[in-house]
Amino acid sequence: MNWGKVIYIFFALMSLTTTAGFLYDQNEVALFIAACVNLISTLLKIGVRNFLAAELFASSLVADLHLIPAFALIQINPEANIMVYTLAIGALIANIFSMILVIVDSVKNQEEN
């Protein structure tokens, strides 16, 4: 078992689920955790060298650029819930896209073996 890949996919999936968790229970702590986990996932994607590495990294950056402003916005203006929710939905879509790419890459690797 490739433990590097396990950790990488764990954080990619954790990014998706923590963002979904914020959408379910909209509080600042959930959004902070989602942003932190997504940043870790982005950092792990820097060293990935596979078929869809650029696309994976780009989708993770998109999620970061949704979650970080959402967290800043909720800190500055707690009444901007709709905009924060909208940004979190954008991050969720980017994370879903990222997970689809992970699945496509895994299928491609299995076909090559």
Side-chain angles (χ1 to χ4, degrees), residues 75-94:
Q75 294 299 311
I76 295 168
N77 185 7
E79 297 173 6
N81 288 339
I82 293 177
M83 187 62 182
V84 170
Y85 192 75
T86 303
L87 287 168
I89 289 172
L92 182 72
I93 292 168

Side-chain angles (χ1 to χ4, degrees), residues 48-113:
V48 173
R49 304 228 184 266
N50 60 19
F51 178 63
L52 298 170
E55 292 82 358
L56 285 165
F57 185 66
S59 65
S60 193
L61 284 176
V62 168
D64 287 337
L65 293 176
H66 279 80
L67 292 173
I68 294 169
F71 183 72
L73 186 60
I74 205 168
Q75 294 299 311
I76 295 168
N77 185 7
E79 297 173 6
N81 288 339
I82 293 177
M83 187 62 182
V84 170
Y85 192 75
T86 303
L87 287 168
I89 289 172
L92 182 72
I93 292 168
N95 282 326
I96 290 170
F97 179 73
S98 181
M99 288 310 301
I100 291 169
L101 291 176
V102 167
I103 292 168
V104 167
D105 187 57
S106 294
V107 168
K108 184 182 178 308
N109 285 339
Q110 282 184 347
E111 289 176 355
E112 289 176 355
N113 292 333

Side-chain angles (χ1 to χ4, degrees), residues 33-56:
I33 292 169
C36 289
V37 170
N38 205 77
L39 282 171
I40 293 169
S41 177
T42 302
L43 291 174
L44 290 173
K45 289 176 184 174
I46 289 174
V48 173
R49 304 228 184 266
N50 60 19
F51 178 63
L52 298 170
E55 292 82 358
L56 285 165

